[in-house]
Amino acid sequence: MALTRRDVLKWALEASALSAAGTPFRAFGAEAGGDRTADIPYGAAVYLPDLQTDARLGAAISRHCTRVTPVTELKWSSLRPTSGTFDFAPGDAIVGFADGHGMDVHGHTLVWHASLPDWVESITDAGEAERLMREHVATVMARYKKSVRSWDVVNEPIPDAPDGVTDRRDGYWSERLGPRHVRLAFEVAHAVDPAAMLVLNEYDVEFAVERSPAKRAAFRNLVEELLDQGAPVHAIGLQGHLRGGWPIAIDELADFVVDMRRLGLQILVTELDVQDQDLVSPADERDAVIAGQVFDFLSAVSAAGPPHSITTWGISDQYSWVRWAFPRSDGTRNRPLPLDWDFQRKPFMDVIDHFRTLRI
Ligand code: G3I
């Protein structure tokens, strides 16, 4: 019988009550003895200093996940301290952790308008900027070719509030190379590693309100334009930074995902978490609302079958960017991720497990 949102909310409140009473509860939707080998990969983003200072983090990731995404270590800001040097040590450390635990690494991100060192921003010549992009993509992909089999090649190409479907985000690469920089990045990446999965990654395309419908239309237009030009785009990344107060556009997102699959693209959930600063305060009630929103999002994303993978932007509330980016006015702890501050499981994790084992 198809799972419903009501099932999730009802279960989540029951499970929270049982958990609060210290009574173990069945994981939601877990098929007892199900064949988990067919599960889709679940990953978490990780920041090296957190991994190095808290052994619980590595233990939780190796227990729950089969892939990781470095939060900063494969960005220009970490890799490129000066124009003449690469700092691979942080990236090597995370790749080493993943290799040591039999996990793969999702590369984030080769070309982005943000996290660029000042020395890059100072380059204004288009020819030099193109040479720099080609050098960076070739050097970084070649180094991590064995462990990094998928890359966010271009991150966040659509402006926050597009004024039309052909609108593209301004920023360093647009200003130096124009809109062609997106196609160029994919072509260079494909030439370096023809077997790598190349992803176009975006946020805020999943909601029913605010700027999301316009952003979804502009993102769709860019994808279709790139494919018409023969750009080697293999997948789209739906970051999934869900905003607690914004409803998911379930039907529109499902239609969007079905259309993307029809274009031959894989769907990756790349940065899932829930900004809960405006949600109710009691933890158990908030966890149920969060689980419900994650359910809505993953239901729509799974409309044409399970996504390629699901990655959350961290795994424990204690190590989430949401804490400092969207603190709660009541001073209580944010609860944006599948495990709480003390690495205890929340309904969020069971909703993930449900969609990982979905059989369409
Ligand atoms: O750890 C240092 C700390 O020692 C230092 O005192 C402090 C001040 O300089 O910086 C700390 O590092 C920060 C790092 O996050 C860890 O917290 C960097 O400054 C800060 O720039 C970095 O921000 C990250 C941001 O991307 C830029 O790389 C966020 O954590 C990370 O969550 C965010 O992730 C992005 C994705 O890449 C793209 N999608 C949106 C997502 C959220 O914004």
Side-chain angles (χ1 to χ4, degrees), residues 47 71-72 75 108 112 115 155-156 239 241 271 313 321 324:
Y47 180 55
V71 168
T72 62
K75 291 175 178 172
H108 176 77
W112 189 24
S115 284
N155 192 42
E156 303 171 1
Q239 291 186 12
H241 290 297
E271 306 181 17
W313 202 242
W321 71 298
W324 46 267

Side-chain angles (χ1 to χ4, degrees), residues 41-213:
Y42 165 52
V46 66
Y47 180 55
L48 184 59
D50 296 339
L51 191 63
Q52 291 170 329
T53 52
D54 190 337
R56 295 174 303 169
L57 186 57
I61 290 173
S62 57
R63 175 171 173 230
H64 291 282
C65 302
T66 55
R67 61 182 1 216
V68 291
T69 300
V71 168
T72 62
E73 295 73 11
L74 295 184
K75 291 175 178 172
W76 284 66
S77 50
S78 179
L79 285 167
R80 307 300 301 273
T82 68
S83 60
T85 56
F86 284 81
D87 181 4
F88 291 120
D92 290 356
I94 289 193
V95 168
F97 166 78
D99 288 348
H101 291 85
M103 293 186 242
D104 64 30
V105 179
H106 178 67
H108 176 77
T109 174
L110 294 172
V111 173
W112 189 24
H113 64 275
S115 284
L116 291 171
D118 291 344
W119 68 264
V120 171
E121 300 269 7
S122 67
I123 294 170
T124 56
D125 175 72
E128 178 55 16
E130 178 167 339
R131 186 202 64 75
L132 189 60
M133 179 201 278
R134 289 177 180 275
E135 173 199 49
H136 183 84
V137 173
T139 306
V140 175
M141 288 185 76
R143 184 177 185 89
Y144 294 115
K145 202 168 188 175
K146 188 174 71 70
S147 302
V148 182
R149 303 313 308 132
S150 60
W151 280 96
D152 289 337
V153 174
V154 173
N155 192 42
E156 303 171 1
I158 307 298
D160 276 343
D163 57 14
V165 291
T166 57
D167 201 2
R168 301 289 178 268
R169 185 187 288 271
D170 291 333
Y172 178 82
W173 299 108
S174 273
E175 287 151 14
R176 300 302 185 281
L177 302 177
R180 73 179 181 91
H181 79 275
V182 179
R183 177 181 169 188
L184 174 66
F186 277 90
E187 289 173 345
V188 173
H190 187 62
V192 175
D193 185 354
M197 176 188 281
L198 305 182
V199 184
L200 183 67
N201 195 41
E202 190 55 87
Y203 66 92
D204 276 6
V205 296
E206 55 267 9
F207 305 112
V209 296
E210 303 280 335
R211 57 184 172 242
S212 201

